Tab-separated table of all heavy atoms in Angstrom:
chain	number	residue	atom	x	y	z
A	1	ILE	N	-6.421	20.974	-22.679
A	1	ILE	CA	-7.856	20.745	-22.565
A	1	ILE	C	-8.075	19.306	-22.252
A	1	ILE	O	-7.540	18.437	-23.011
A	1	ILE	CB	-8.547	21.154	-23.806
A	1	ILE	CG1	-8.319	22.638	-24.175
A	1	ILE	CG2	-10.106	20.907	-23.657
A	1	ILE	CD1	-8.993	23.079	-25.467
A	2	ASN	N	-8.743	19.004	-21.229
A	2	ASN	CA	-9.041	17.685	-20.822
A	2	ASN	C	-10.417	17.232	-21.537
A	2	ASN	O	-10.599	17.232	-22.778
A	2	ASN	CB	-9.127	17.464	-19.383
A	2	ASN	CG	-9.027	16.011	-18.895
A	2	ASN	OD1	-9.083	15.091	-19.763
A	2	ASN	ND2	-8.944	15.777	-17.689
A	3	ASP	N	-11.420	17.047	-20.709
A	3	ASP	CA	-12.740	16.621	-21.245
A	3	ASP	C	-13.366	17.831	-21.910
A	3	ASP	O	-13.336	18.956	-21.532
A	3	ASP	CB	-13.644	16.027	-20.159
A	3	ASP	CG	-13.132	14.843	-19.593
A	3	ASP	OD1	-12.073	14.274	-20.056
A	3	ASP	OD2	-13.847	14.235	-18.725
A	4	MET	N	-14.200	17.548	-22.998
A	4	MET	CA	-15.074	18.462	-23.583
A	4	MET	C	-16.365	17.806	-23.760
A	4	MET	O	-16.560	16.653	-23.859
A	4	MET	CB	-14.522	18.967	-24.949
A	4	MET	CG	-13.153	19.492	-24.894
A	4	MET	SD	-12.526	20.085	-26.513
A	4	MET	CE	-13.306	21.698	-26.549
A	5	GLY	N	-17.436	18.639	-23.810
A	5	GLY	CA	-18.768	18.115	-23.966
A	5	GLY	C	-19.807	19.015	-24.493
A	5	GLY	O	-19.594	20.266	-24.617
A	6	TRP	N	-20.968	18.442	-24.776
A	6	TRP	CA	-22.061	19.222	-25.145
A	6	TRP	C	-23.339	18.967	-24.194
A	6	TRP	O	-23.503	17.802	-23.834
A	6	TRP	CB	-22.599	18.893	-26.607
A	6	TRP	CG	-21.666	19.369	-27.638
A	6	TRP	CD1	-20.603	18.625	-28.271
A	6	TRP	CD2	-21.579	20.640	-28.200
A	6	TRP	NE1	-19.946	19.432	-29.186
A	6	TRP	CE2	-20.551	20.653	-29.194
A	6	TRP	CE3	-22.383	21.696	-28.081
A	6	TRP	CZ2	-20.282	21.727	-29.981
A	6	TRP	CZ3	-22.118	22.864	-28.864
A	6	TRP	CH2	-20.983	22.905	-29.768
A	7	TYR	N	-23.913	20.018	-23.819
A	7	TYR	CA	-25.053	19.982	-22.973
A	7	TYR	C	-26.172	20.699	-23.655
A	7	TYR	O	-25.986	21.556	-24.590
A	7	TYR	CB	-24.839	20.539	-21.557
A	7	TYR	CG	-23.735	19.811	-20.788
A	7	TYR	CD1	-22.415	19.892	-21.196
A	7	TYR	CD2	-24.174	18.930	-19.735
A	7	TYR	CE1	-21.496	19.173	-20.409
A	7	TYR	CE2	-23.231	18.275	-19.017
A	7	TYR	CZ	-21.940	18.377	-19.328
A	7	TYR	OH	-20.912	17.717	-18.595
A	8	ARG	N	-27.419	20.461	-23.184
A	8	ARG	CA	-28.537	21.235	-23.694
A	8	ARG	C	-29.569	21.495	-22.697
A	8	ARG	O	-29.639	20.853	-21.705
A	8	ARG	CB	-29.166	20.517	-24.921
A	8	ARG	CG	-29.936	19.196	-24.536
A	8	ARG	CD	-30.515	18.469	-25.800
A	8	ARG	NE	-31.278	17.343	-25.447
A	8	ARG	CZ	-31.791	16.485	-26.285
A	8	ARG	NH1	-31.512	16.728	-27.611
A	8	ARG	NH2	-32.409	15.419	-25.987
A	9	GLN	N	-30.362	22.558	-22.960
A	9	GLN	CA	-31.417	22.928	-22.000
A	9	GLN	C	-32.595	23.480	-22.852
A	9	GLN	O	-32.437	24.380	-23.613
A	9	GLN	CB	-30.865	24.047	-21.060
A	9	GLN	CG	-31.875	24.326	-19.977
A	9	GLN	CD	-31.268	25.167	-18.880
A	9	GLN	OE1	-30.282	25.847	-19.002
A	9	GLN	NE2	-31.943	25.110	-17.708
A	10	ALA	N	-33.684	22.823	-22.623
A	10	ALA	CA	-34.923	23.248	-23.159
A	10	ALA	C	-35.765	24.013	-22.224
A	10	ALA	O	-35.543	23.819	-21.012
A	10	ALA	CB	-35.691	22.009	-23.759
A	11	PRO	N	-36.699	24.848	-22.695
A	11	PRO	CA	-37.541	25.576	-21.778
A	11	PRO	C	-38.234	24.687	-20.854
A	11	PRO	O	-38.868	23.655	-21.131
A	11	PRO	CB	-38.515	26.273	-22.715
A	11	PRO	CG	-37.812	26.350	-24.061
A	11	PRO	CD	-36.987	25.200	-24.101
A	12	GLY	N	-38.147	25.089	-19.537
A	12	GLY	CA	-38.861	24.314	-18.498
A	12	GLY	C	-38.128	23.016	-18.086
A	12	GLY	O	-38.639	22.289	-17.271
A	13	LYS	N	-36.991	22.751	-18.608
A	13	LYS	CA	-36.285	21.526	-18.248
A	13	LYS	C	-34.844	21.944	-17.701
A	13	LYS	O	-34.317	23.000	-17.947
A	13	LYS	CB	-36.143	20.654	-19.471
A	13	LYS	CG	-37.416	20.087	-19.993
A	13	LYS	CD	-37.142	19.058	-21.089
A	13	LYS	CE	-38.514	18.485	-21.525
A	13	LYS	NZ	-38.252	17.444	-22.622
A	14	GLU	N	-34.304	20.947	-17.000
A	14	GLU	CA	-32.895	21.121	-16.497
A	14	GLU	C	-31.935	20.917	-17.654
A	14	GLU	O	-32.126	20.255	-18.605
A	14	GLU	CB	-32.634	20.047	-15.356
A	14	GLU	CG	-33.491	20.189	-14.177
A	14	GLU	CD	-33.170	21.313	-13.329
A	14	GLU	OE1	-31.947	21.757	-13.369
A	14	GLU	OE2	-34.042	21.901	-12.691
A	15	ARG	N	-30.755	21.587	-17.501
A	15	ARG	CA	-29.731	21.351	-18.379
A	15	ARG	C	-29.286	19.828	-18.339
A	15	ARG	O	-29.110	19.304	-17.175
A	15	ARG	CB	-28.514	22.209	-18.124
A	15	ARG	CG	-27.423	22.160	-19.099
A	15	ARG	CD	-26.389	23.238	-18.849
A	15	ARG	NE	-25.821	23.124	-17.554
A	15	ARG	CZ	-25.034	24.126	-17.069
A	15	ARG	NH1	-24.683	25.180	-17.645
A	15	ARG	NH2	-24.543	23.930	-15.786
A	16	GLU	N	-29.060	19.224	-19.421
A	16	GLU	CA	-28.719	17.822	-19.457
A	16	GLU	C	-27.521	17.520	-20.381
A	16	GLU	O	-27.289	18.238	-21.306
A	16	GLU	CB	-29.872	16.959	-19.904
A	16	GLU	CG	-30.309	17.238	-21.342
A	16	GLU	CD	-31.415	16.314	-21.914
A	16	GLU	OE1	-31.762	15.366	-21.041
A	16	GLU	OE2	-31.990	16.569	-22.919
A	17	LEU	N	-26.783	16.544	-19.981
A	17	LEU	CA	-25.725	16.055	-20.842
A	17	LEU	C	-26.221	15.502	-22.055
A	17	LEU	O	-27.141	14.706	-22.155
A	17	LEU	CB	-24.959	15.006	-20.043
A	17	LEU	CG	-23.749	14.269	-20.775
A	17	LEU	CD1	-22.620	15.191	-21.174
A	17	LEU	CD2	-23.414	13.051	-20.069
A	18	VAL	N	-25.538	15.863	-23.118
A	18	VAL	CA	-25.760	15.291	-24.512
A	18	VAL	C	-24.618	14.295	-24.855
A	18	VAL	O	-24.907	13.120	-25.047
A	18	VAL	CB	-25.882	16.425	-25.579
A	18	VAL	CG1	-25.980	15.782	-26.960
A	18	VAL	CG2	-26.972	17.257	-25.330
A	19	ALA	N	-23.463	14.756	-24.737
A	19	ALA	CA	-22.286	13.969	-25.086
A	19	ALA	C	-21.023	14.503	-24.430
A	19	ALA	O	-20.929	15.732	-24.165
A	19	ALA	CB	-22.117	13.663	-26.505
A	20	ARG	N	-20.076	13.596	-24.193
A	20	ARG	CA	-18.787	14.055	-23.627
A	20	ARG	C	-17.707	13.255	-24.293
A	20	ARG	O	-17.819	12.095	-24.544
A	20	ARG	CB	-18.856	13.992	-22.115
A	20	ARG	CG	-17.722	14.816	-21.374
A	20	ARG	CD	-18.179	15.220	-20.050
A	20	ARG	NE	-17.079	16.036	-19.432
A	20	ARG	CZ	-17.097	17.359	-19.554
A	20	ARG	NH1	-17.988	17.985	-20.303
A	20	ARG	NH2	-16.087	18.011	-18.999
A	21	ILE	N	-16.522	13.836	-24.330
A	21	ILE	CA	-15.371	13.220	-24.919
A	21	ILE	C	-14.177	13.664	-24.272
A	21	ILE	O	-13.892	14.837	-23.895
A	21	ILE	CB	-15.298	13.588	-26.428
A	21	ILE	CG1	-14.178	12.753	-27.149
A	21	ILE	CG2	-15.174	15.062	-26.747
A	21	ILE	CD1	-14.177	12.825	-28.670
A	22	THR	N	-13.280	12.686	-23.936
A	22	THR	CA	-12.051	12.861	-23.210
A	22	THR	C	-10.971	13.217	-24.193
A	22	THR	O	-11.103	13.189	-25.391
A	22	THR	CB	-11.608	11.644	-22.398
A	22	THR	OG1	-11.253	10.597	-23.268
A	22	THR	CG2	-12.753	11.129	-21.488
A	23	SER	N	-9.864	13.630	-23.623
A	23	SER	CA	-8.680	14.072	-24.523
A	23	SER	C	-8.102	12.851	-25.390
A	23	SER	O	-7.547	13.062	-26.421
A	23	SER	CB	-7.602	14.656	-23.746
A	23	SER	OG	-7.100	13.727	-22.726
A	24	ASP	N	-8.422	11.643	-24.869
A	24	ASP	CA	-8.010	10.517	-25.618
A	24	ASP	C	-9.173	9.779	-26.418
A	24	ASP	O	-9.087	8.669	-26.705
A	24	ASP	CB	-7.209	9.521	-24.736
A	24	ASP	CG	-8.055	9.007	-23.581
A	24	ASP	OD1	-9.104	9.605	-23.240
A	24	ASP	OD2	-7.559	8.094	-22.882
A	25	LEU	N	-10.224	10.556	-26.594
A	25	LEU	CA	-11.295	10.234	-27.499
A	25	LEU	C	-12.241	9.191	-26.954
A	25	LEU	O	-12.975	8.594	-27.755
A	25	LEU	CB	-10.761	9.832	-28.840
A	25	LEU	CG	-9.767	10.785	-29.527
A	25	LEU	CD1	-9.383	10.366	-30.866
A	25	LEU	CD2	-10.357	12.273	-29.551
A	26	ILE	N	-12.310	9.041	-25.631
A	26	ILE	CA	-13.342	8.230	-25.079
A	26	ILE	C	-14.643	9.052	-24.954
A	26	ILE	O	-14.697	10.185	-24.506
A	26	ILE	CB	-12.927	7.668	-23.645
A	26	ILE	CG1	-11.691	6.781	-23.841
A	26	ILE	CG2	-14.088	6.853	-23.093
A	26	ILE	CD1	-11.072	6.479	-22.502
A	27	THR	N	-15.701	8.481	-25.407
A	27	THR	CA	-16.974	9.170	-25.499
A	27	THR	C	-18.119	8.525	-24.709
A	27	THR	O	-17.983	7.390	-24.394
A	27	THR	CB	-17.513	9.284	-26.983
A	27	THR	OG1	-17.792	7.894	-27.499
A	27	THR	CG2	-16.602	9.937	-27.893
A	28	ASN	N	-19.007	9.362	-24.282
A	28	ASN	CA	-20.243	8.863	-23.620
A	28	ASN	C	-21.355	9.793	-24.063
A	28	ASN	O	-21.245	11.002	-24.320
A	28	ASN	CB	-20.079	8.720	-22.143
A	28	ASN	CG	-20.098	10.089	-21.387
A	28	ASN	OD1	-19.086	10.825	-21.466
A	28	ASN	ND2	-21.154	10.341	-20.667
A	29	TYR	N	-22.549	9.196	-24.101
A	29	TYR	CA	-23.747	9.834	-24.614
A	29	TYR	C	-24.914	9.676	-23.706
A	29	TYR	O	-24.990	8.625	-22.992
A	29	TYR	CB	-24.155	9.372	-25.937
A	29	TYR	CG	-23.072	9.539	-27.035
A	29	TYR	CD1	-22.045	8.673	-27.271
A	29	TYR	CD2	-23.147	10.651	-27.933
A	29	TYR	CE1	-21.151	8.822	-28.253
A	29	TYR	CE2	-22.246	10.836	-28.913
A	29	TYR	CZ	-21.138	9.962	-29.113
A	29	TYR	OH	-20.315	10.099	-30.100
A	30	ALA	N	-25.880	10.590	-23.706
A	30	ALA	CA	-27.164	10.271	-23.143
A	30	ALA	C	-27.707	9.130	-23.884
A	30	ALA	O	-27.595	8.970	-25.067
A	30	ALA	CB	-28.087	11.467	-23.273
A	31	GLY	N	-28.294	8.158	-23.151
A	31	GLY	CA	-28.663	6.835	-23.759
A	31	GLY	C	-29.604	6.943	-24.943
A	31	GLY	O	-29.391	6.241	-25.877
A	32	SER	N	-30.531	7.919	-24.925
A	32	SER	CA	-31.448	7.983	-26.032
A	32	SER	C	-30.891	8.671	-27.264
A	32	SER	O	-31.430	8.687	-28.344
A	32	SER	CB	-32.656	8.802	-25.533
A	32	SER	OG	-32.302	10.099	-25.263
A	33	LEU	N	-29.693	9.235	-27.158
A	33	LEU	CA	-29.108	10.017	-28.247
A	33	LEU	C	-28.044	9.164	-29.045
A	33	LEU	O	-27.684	9.566	-30.128
A	33	LEU	CB	-28.493	11.294	-27.756
A	33	LEU	CG	-29.468	12.239	-27.111
A	33	LEU	CD1	-28.779	13.514	-26.714
A	33	LEU	CD2	-30.620	12.572	-28.024
A	34	LYS	N	-27.473	8.244	-28.418
A	34	LYS	CA	-26.418	7.480	-29.101
A	34	LYS	C	-26.961	6.853	-30.317
A	34	LYS	O	-28.033	6.188	-30.337
A	34	LYS	CB	-25.872	6.420	-28.160
A	34	LYS	CG	-24.594	5.721	-28.679
A	34	LYS	CD	-23.983	4.775	-27.615
A	34	LYS	CE	-22.730	4.171	-28.159
A	34	LYS	NZ	-22.015	3.358	-27.118
A	35	GLY	N	-26.248	7.064	-31.413
A	35	GLY	CA	-26.701	6.538	-32.718
A	35	GLY	C	-27.176	7.601	-33.605
A	35	GLY	O	-27.077	7.555	-34.810
A	36	ARG	N	-27.719	8.704	-33.013
A	36	ARG	CA	-28.091	9.890	-33.742
A	36	ARG	C	-27.122	10.976	-33.702
A	36	ARG	O	-26.902	11.739	-34.689
A	36	ARG	CB	-29.467	10.409	-33.304
A	36	ARG	CG	-30.675	9.414	-33.568
A	36	ARG	CD	-32.050	10.222	-33.488
A	36	ARG	NE	-32.217	10.740	-32.116
A	36	ARG	CZ	-32.387	11.989	-31.841
A	36	ARG	NH1	-32.374	12.900	-32.819
A	36	ARG	NH2	-32.550	12.403	-30.582
A	37	PHE	N	-26.534	11.171	-32.546
A	37	PHE	CA	-25.600	12.193	-32.301
A	37	PHE	C	-24.118	11.575	-32.171
A	37	PHE	O	-23.951	10.482	-31.561
A	37	PHE	CB	-25.846	12.984	-30.976
A	37	PHE	CG	-27.039	13.777	-30.985
A	37	PHE	CD1	-28.017	13.720	-32.041
A	37	PHE	CD2	-27.306	14.712	-29.967
A	37	PHE	CE1	-29.138	14.545	-32.024
A	37	PHE	CE2	-28.383	15.514	-29.997
A	37	PHE	CZ	-29.316	15.389	-30.998
A	38	THR	N	-23.216	12.323	-32.692
A	38	THR	CA	-21.859	11.912	-32.646
A	38	THR	C	-20.939	13.061	-32.278
A	38	THR	O	-20.933	14.133	-32.868
A	38	THR	CB	-21.332	11.360	-33.982
A	38	THR	OG1	-22.159	10.257	-34.361
A	38	THR	CG2	-19.890	10.844	-33.844
A	39	ILE	N	-20.231	12.900	-31.188
A	39	ILE	CA	-19.246	13.974	-30.684
A	39	ILE	C	-17.887	13.616	-31.198
A	39	ILE	O	-17.519	12.395	-31.196
A	39	ILE	CB	-19.270	14.125	-29.129
A	39	ILE	CG1	-18.484	15.320	-28.726
A	39	ILE	CG2	-18.814	12.890	-28.433
A	39	ILE	CD1	-18.668	15.653	-27.215
A	40	SER	N	-17.150	14.612	-31.590
A	40	SER	CA	-15.753	14.455	-31.984
A	40	SER	C	-14.962	15.691	-31.580
A	40	SER	O	-15.548	16.721	-31.205
A	40	SER	CB	-15.683	14.174	-33.443
A	40	SER	OG	-16.153	15.229	-34.161
A	41	ARG	N	-13.622	15.554	-31.630
A	41	ARG	CA	-12.842	16.769	-31.365
A	41	ARG	C	-11.554	16.670	-32.251
A	41	ARG	O	-11.063	15.729	-32.757
A	41	ARG	CB	-12.457	16.686	-29.870
A	41	ARG	CG	-11.522	15.626	-29.425
A	41	ARG	CD	-11.491	15.611	-27.847
A	41	ARG	NE	-10.651	16.640	-27.377
A	41	ARG	CZ	-10.543	16.848	-26.109
A	41	ARG	NH1	-11.207	16.225	-25.147
A	41	ARG	NH2	-9.720	17.854	-25.678
A	42	ASP	N	-11.006	17.887	-32.268
A	42	ASP	CA	-9.729	18.064	-32.920
A	42	ASP	C	-8.808	18.748	-31.911
A	42	ASP	O	-8.900	19.942	-31.670
A	42	ASP	CB	-9.876	18.958	-34.232
A	42	ASP	CG	-8.548	19.060	-35.030
A	42	ASP	OD1	-7.501	18.921	-34.458
A	42	ASP	OD2	-8.646	19.311	-36.225
């Protein structure tokens, strides 16, 4: 498994990236969510 991520879609809106994490644990977040949301993997 390489990258893994979370996306979300609200009614009437496009699906958007929430967070993504690479196999070596590099993460990126939607700008407004960093600090509240944390992605991790095992």
Side-chain angles (χ1 to χ4, degrees):
I1 303 177
N2 197 354
D3 293 1
M4 305 184 80
W6 290 95
Y7 296 74
R8 69 184 183 184
Q9 187 167 21
K13 294 186 177 181
E14 298 287 331
R15 184 173 60 189
E16 64 177 354
L17 170 70
V18 175
R20 197 151 184 85
I21 184 168
T22 68
S23 59
D24 56 349
L25 308 184
I26 298 173
T27 60
N28 71 288
Y29 299 86
S32 62
L33 301 180
K34 189 173 184 179
R36 294 196 298 120
F37 289 14
T38 303
I39 189 170
S40 61
R41 65 188 288 170
D42 186 333

